[in-house]
Each structure stands twice: as structure tokens, then as C-alpha cells.
Amino acid sequence: ILKESCRIAVEYGKFRMAWIGFVNENTKIIQPITWYGHEDGYLTIMVKISTEDIPAGRGTTGIGVREGKVFYCNDIGNDPRMIPWRKEALKREYRSSIALPIFVQGQVIGAFTLYISEAFFFGESEIRLLEQVTNDIGYALEMVEVDLKRRRVEADLQDLIIQKETLMKELEGKRGK
């Protein structure tokens, strides 16, 4: 689901690169999980993105995750918040970027971040469409979580049934003696 969302954004949305990252609660760093497009080492070279209000957390993704709302930069070349990432971004022709927080069960777990080679790209209609896509990603992840919990409960119930049957056989065996 995640890789496919990035692929579709690049191939059909004409974004230069798209990636999804999840928050590591221990380090407060947003770790890339998957990406698609012209990445060219950007996600390993760039300054690690923090969820904290420090310079490494003041770009689109850090702010979007920390504040739990869409955050974008329509001019990477001139936005002072993008200084930690500017050189590498411009080298890959990223001119605008947007980060959309991914929510699961009401909590921000990460972000869907996209880059495009056009400055001043993001307007109201683009943002609305990308929010819908990101909400769908969050919903899909939530359903996966629900399904995993259901499977764990079913396995636990099956274990209890087996334990009960074993106990009943042991009791019957003791009564028969």
C-alpha cells in the first residue's frame, strides 16, 4: 500500500519523488519506510528529520508531523526553514515539497512527503486531493492494525479452547481412576 501510494504519486501526479516515513518514538526521528521516484540517495544523505522543534525538525515533514497538519514549502530555494535540506533538494530539482501527516487511531504515526520540480505548485485543490489520499493511507493502515488484533484474539481464543479441552480430558481421566 505504501510503496504503491508513492509510485502513483510520481507516475500519475508527476511528482519528482514521494516517500513515507514513520516516527521512531525513541529517537523522535522520522524514518523513511518507502519511496519512489528520483530519490538519488536524498533520504540517506539528508539531515535526519526530527519531530522536535529544533532546526532538523523545522522542515515540511518535521512540522507536519509535530503539528499534525499539512505543511508545505512552495519555494525550497528561498525558504529559510529548508536550509538543512536545500542543497541536496535543489541538486535533485525539488522546488516545492509538502508533508501530510498520517493518522492511525487518532495519532500521527508518520508522514507522506512529496517533492515536485515546480516552485509554487501547491494550492488549495492540490492539497485537498493529497489529504484525501493520505487519509486513505491512514485508513488502510488502521484496517491492517484491526485485522492483526482480530487475528491475535482468534489465536488466543483457539489456545484457550485447546487448554480447556486438555484440562477436561485430564479431569475425566482422574475421575475414571
Side-chain angles (χ1 to χ4, degrees):
I1 293 170
L2 304 179
K3 180 81 170 180
E4 193 66 7
S5 297
C6 292
R7 183 190 68 77
I8 289 168
V10 170
E11 289 183 3
Y12 296 98
K14 304 300 180 201
F15 288 94
R16 190 101 171 109
M17 196 262 287
W19 66 280
I20 292 175
F22 291 153
V23 176
N24 178 317
E25 291 299 328
N26 296 324
T27 64
K28 304 300 183 200
I29 298 293
I30 302 163
Q31 299 176 315
I33 300 301
T34 190
W35 60 87
Y36 194 87
H38 186 77
E39 187 267 344
D40 194 29
Y42 181 73
L43 295 173
T44 54
I45 293 170
M46 71 175 184
V47 173
K48 300 301 178 204
I49 299 169
S50 175
T51 61
E52 298 180 303
D53 191 11
I54 59 174
R58 293 187 189 132
T60 54
T61 307
I63 293 171
V65 168
R66 185 172 54 258
E67 295 183 3
K69 61 183 181 182
V70 175
F71 197 83
Y72 63 95
C73 171
N74 261 332
D75 189 6
I76 291 173
N78 292 303
D79 190 327
R81 291 174 293 210
M82 297 303 289
I83 289 172
W85 305 278
R86 179 179 295 150
K87 180 181 174 191
E88 293 300 327
L90 294 177
K91 193 185 299 185
R92 290 162 180 80
E93 298 178 31
Y94 306 156
R95 301 285 183 259
S96 297
S97 69
I98 189 168
L100 302 109
I102 299 171
F103 289 88
V104 172
Q105 297 178 350
Q107 299 291 326
V108 178
I109 64 155
F112 186 29
T113 303
L114 303 107
Y115 301 86
I116 195 155
S117 57
E118 183 181 324
F120 302 99
F121 175 80
F122 298 105
E124 197 175 307
S125 62
E126 291 82 12
I127 292 169
R128 223 181 358 239
L129 178 63
L130 291 169
E131 282 179 312
Q132 290 172 350
V133 170
T134 306
N135 289 341
D136 290 345
I137 291 169
Y139 179 76
L141 291 172
E142 214 164 285
M143 291 302 101
V144 167
E145 181 77 18
V146 166
D147 189 53
L148 287 172
K149 285 180 181 175
R150 180 188 56 78
R151 289 179 190 205
R152 281 191 290 255
V153 167
E154 286 176 354
D156 290 347
L157 284 172
Q158 191 63 34
D159 288 346
L160 285 172
I161 290 168
I162 291 169
Q163 289 173 9
K164 177 189 167 224
E165 289 173 351
T166 303
L167 186 59
M168 293 301 286
K169 286 180 185 174
E170 288 175 7
L171 288 173
E172 287 174 9
K174 288 181 180 178
R175 285 185 196 149
K177 289 183 178 179

